[in-house]
Amino acid sequence: MKSILLKNTFWAFLIFLPVGLYFYFLSEYAINIPKWDDHALKAFIVDFQNANGYIPKIQTFFKQHNEHRIAFDRFFTLIVFWIHGSIDYRWLMWIGNFTLLGVLFIFFKVFQKQKISIAYFAPIPFILFQLQLWENTFWGMAAMQNFGVVFFILTLIYLISSEKRIHFYIAIFVAFLATYTSGNGITVFPVCIVLLILQKRFKDVFLFSSVSLILVFLYFYQYKFPENNPSIDGIGIGKIVTGFFIFLGSVFDLTPNISQNIKITIILGFILFIIGSIISVYLILNSKLFNKQRNLNHTELFILGSILFLIGTAIVVTATRISYGVEGLLTSRYKIYSILLLITIYLIFITKVNLNNKKLLVSFLILMAICFNIVVNYINFKEIVNFRNQLISFGINWELDEKISDTKPEVKLYEMPKLSLENSFSEIKKPIKNALIWKERITKIVSFDGVLIQNNSFNVPTKKEGNIY
């Protein structure tokens, strides 16, 4: 009994190790400075405060934002605003990243149904909780929107794959949450309908299809398609297919050479696509719809639904973003889908392969996952430092811009964190030739490449902010 307890304690520690490390990075490098779309949440607070009556206030949650309706983001922004007294974007980051914990929980629930050692679950958190996701991780709105919609979609697939009646009714509510968290929430509806058809649950097909049509209608009611998205006209089919495989293989974006990266992600994205397609065809042909002697279990339906959704998402994102260039499909905020595809394929592997008493195999899989986690964290660490520095530079620019800094809104929507350069703002604002700070603290270095103006005299409290100054 003692040995079993110690063994389980060890695996629990190993499973939560990458999760703890991930949230350590979040606590250390998250900063309460908005980026781009984050400012739209301030506009939402103003709209909500100015709306007269309950109906107009509710409507502000569902107002279109770019291609999306982000009621989930807005709801928690309002909660944070009420509790904190202003919008704290770090809180939004934490809320969004907690939904990533929800994704891990869904995978654990699926894994739990297998009669295999908990050791085989250990690679999943090492693949999921890592810094390739840095752009979503440290961006308030993006964390809630992009991680939140993935959580709701996987939850929806999990519920639809279950034969429990209560799960179907909960699934309808989760479908609403997915729809109003991000635009791709509605793309999972056809997948859910396919899963219900494969189970021959035709009454539920009718009910869910009806709910889906209502949600889609409401989503596109008074919808305005963004005009700034470039068309894919003139882009060859070869480039679109290439972008599709880059998107699917972006989890393997591990080398600093961009051209080499693209080749690797294309090859491995193609491999993931072929494996995912074979798994999907196999499961569909073995469903109750096509095979009277066979019926897909909950795990198989979940895996099939996840693969269909992830490949479908790759098609949609590639079609809508390929105009910006294939390199854009390696963007950090898209990599969650490639990561999830890799995890889903791993799940079917440990489900279908006889793993009993194969200690060498489980040791190898865990070692590979740990090495992967270390490598991607090392490669992407500089990205979170640069991202933090970019946000700090935004804050400094706002402080130095008199048009912004002199504007005092009636409602305190947001409060800038104290920056290390704050004591020098008054000096920096003076004309260069008159400011003491420029006369005494600046060195000028002339070299063959040009002139470098350098200042190393600011007292910066931590190294993670040093380069910005």
Side-chain angles (χ1 to χ4, degrees):
M1 182 67 181
K2 187 177 179 181
S3 62
I4 294 174
L5 185 62
L6 288 173
K7 191 175 182 180
N8 288 338
T9 301
F10 171 76
W11 292 123
F13 168 78
L14 198 63
I15 286 168
F16 284 104
L17 178 62
V19 179
L21 182 62
Y22 178 87
F23 281 100
Y24 166 78
F25 283 122
L26 179 62
S27 65
E28 282 294 303
Y29 288 90
I31 189 167
N32 182 27
I33 298 178
K35 176 185 178 179
W36 300 348
D37 291 6
D38 280 337
H39 294 283
L41 296 175
K42 293 189 285 187
F44 156 70
I45 295 294
V46 173
D47 289 345
F48 182 86
Q49 298 276 31
N50 294 336
N52 294 319
Y54 291 109
I55 299 300
K57 284 185 182 295
I58 291 172
Q59 288 175 335
T60 62
F61 287 95
F62 300 96
K63 186 178 177 182
Q64 184 179 341
H65 171 74
N66 294 333
E67 302 103 322
H68 312 284
R69 298 191 188 274
I70 52 170
F72 177 75
D73 285 38
R74 288 169 174 156
F75 174 78
F76 279 102
T77 299
L78 185 63
I79 296 298
V80 169
F81 179 78
W82 280 344
I83 294 174
H84 188 263
S86 62
I87 302 174
D88 190 320
Y89 291 94
R90 292 169 304 179
W91 288 30
L92 305 187
M93 294 172 206
W94 279 92
I95 292 168
N97 281 283
F98 277 140
T99 62
L100 201 60
L101 278 176
V103 171
L104 183 66
F105 178 73
I106 293 295
F107 281 127
F108 182 73
K109 291 290 290 182
V110 174
F111 176 86
Q112 244 185 343
K113 298 178 183 296
Q114 316 310 311
K115 305 300 180 183
I116 55 178
S117 169
I118 187 66
Y120 286 98
F121 186 76
I124 293 178
F126 280 99
I127 298 171
L128 183 59
F129 286 88
Q130 37 95 351
L131 296 183
Q132 276 185 321
L133 302 172
W134 61 268
E135 192 171 15
N136 286 330
T137 306
F138 298 94
W139 184 352
M141 173 181 277
M144 291 192 296
Q145 179 181 345
N146 296 331
F147 289 158
V149 74
V150 165
F151 169 61
F152 292 131
I153 286 171
L154 292 182
T155 301
L156 180 57
I157 293 172
Y158 179 86
L159 294 170
I160 287 291
S161 302
S162 170
E163 294 183 352
K164 293 181 180 180
R165 199 67 199 154
I166 186 65
H167 284 179
F168 177 75
Y169 295 120
I170 297 172
I172 292 175
F173 174 66
V174 175
F176 170 81
L177 295 176
T179 302
Y180 290 103
T181 299
S182 187
N184 63 328
I186 60 178
T187 62
V188 76
F189 294 166
V191 173
C192 293
I193 293 169
V194 168
L195 293 179
L196 291 171
I197 292 172
L198 293 177
Q199 298 172 75
K200 288 189 172 182
R201 294 164 57 183
F202 296 115
K203 289 183 179 179
D204 289 344
V205 170
F206 174 76
L207 286 173
F208 190 84
S209 298
S210 301
V211 171
S212 299
L213 288 173
I214 293 170
L215 288 174
V216 170
F217 171 77
L218 292 174
Y219 186 87
F220 286 105
Y221 180 68
Q222 296 184 337
Y223 185 90
K224 294 182 179 179
F225 288 91
E227 299 178 356
N228 57 346
N229 285 353
S231 170
I232 62 172
D233 293 342
I235 297 177
I237 187 67
K239 188 175 181 181
I240 294 173
V241 172
T242 298
F244 172 75
F245 291 132
I246 288 172
F247 182 91
L248 287 180
S250 60
V251 64
F252 301 106
D253 174 21
L254 302 176
T255 68
N257 186 306
I258 186 66
S259 61
Q260 186 179 9
N261 249 345
I262 288 176
K263 292 177 183 177
I264 292 172
T265 53
I266 290 172
I267 294 170
L268 294 175
F270 175 75
I271 292 172
L272 288 181
F273 172 72
I274 293 299
I275 295 173
S277 299
I278 292 172
I279 292 169
S280 299
V281 172
Y282 170 80
L283 292 175
I284 290 172
L285 293 178
N286 281 276
S287 67
K288 185 186 293 186
L289 188 67
F290 295 100
N291 190 342
K292 294 181 181 180
Q293 306 301 319
R294 180 82 159 83
N295 188 22
L296 299 182
N297 59 38
H298 191 177
T299 299
E300 291 171 326
L301 286 165
F302 173 81
I303 289 171
L304 173 61
S306 298
I307 292 174
L308 292 178
F309 164 71
L310 294 168
I311 290 178
T313 298
I315 294 171
V316 172
V317 174
T318 303
T320 55
R321 293 292 183 265
I322 190 67
S323 302
Y324 295 104
V326 293
E327 295 85 357
L329 296 171
L330 290 174
T331 300
S332 168
R333 62 182 177 274
Y334 297 148
K335 288 183 180 178
I336 182 65
Y337 299 102
S338 181
I339 290 168
L340 292 174
L341 182 59
L342 179 62
I343 291 174
T344 305
I345 290 174
Y346 171 77
L347 264 179
I348 195 70
F349 170 75
I350 61 176
T351 301
K352 293 299 180 183
V353 176
N354 184 8
L355 301 172
N356 293 327
N357 300 320
K358 293 187 178 179
K359 294 182 180 180
L360 185 61
L361 177 61
V362 69
S363 300
F364 173 75
L365 292 173
I366 293 171
L367 180 62
M368 288 291 291
I370 292 173
C371 290
F372 171 80
N373 187 274
I374 292 171
V375 169
V376 295
N377 282 352
Y378 175 77
I379 291 172
N380 290 278
F381 177 72
K382 67 178 184 299
E383 300 290 354
I384 68 172
V385 174
N386 291 339
F387 188 68
R388 179 185 171 89
N389 286 344
Q390 180 192 43
L391 295 180
I392 292 173
S393 69
F394 287 167
I396 293 173
N397 289 336
W398 299 333
E399 289 292 333
L400 298 178
D401 189 334
E402 294 180 359
K403 294 179 181 178
I404 297 175
S405 59
D406 290 346
T407 302
K408 302 294 183 184
E410 295 180 6
V411 179
K412 186 175 71 172
L413 300 171
Y414 161 74
E415 188 173 1
M416 180 78 70
K418 184 175 176 60
L419 301 173
S420 302
L421 198 59
E422 213 165 73
N423 295 332
S424 304
F425 280 155
S426 60
E427 285 293 321
I428 293 175
K429 286 183 179 180
K430 295 179 181 179
I432 289 179
K433 61 182 181 180
N434 297 330
L436 183 65
I437 191 170
W438 297 113
K439 289 181 178 180
E440 297 183 359
R441 302 183 189 177
I442 296 293
T443 58
K444 183 170 74 173
I445 302 172
V446 181
S447 67
F448 177 77
D449 297 325
V451 178
L452 172 67
I453 304 298
Q454 186 170 296
N455 185 342
N456 295 317
S457 62
F458 290 123
N459 294 320
V460 181
T462 60
K463 290 183 179 179
K464 63 188 176 188
E465 296 177 7
N467 291 338
I468 192 61
Y469 301 110

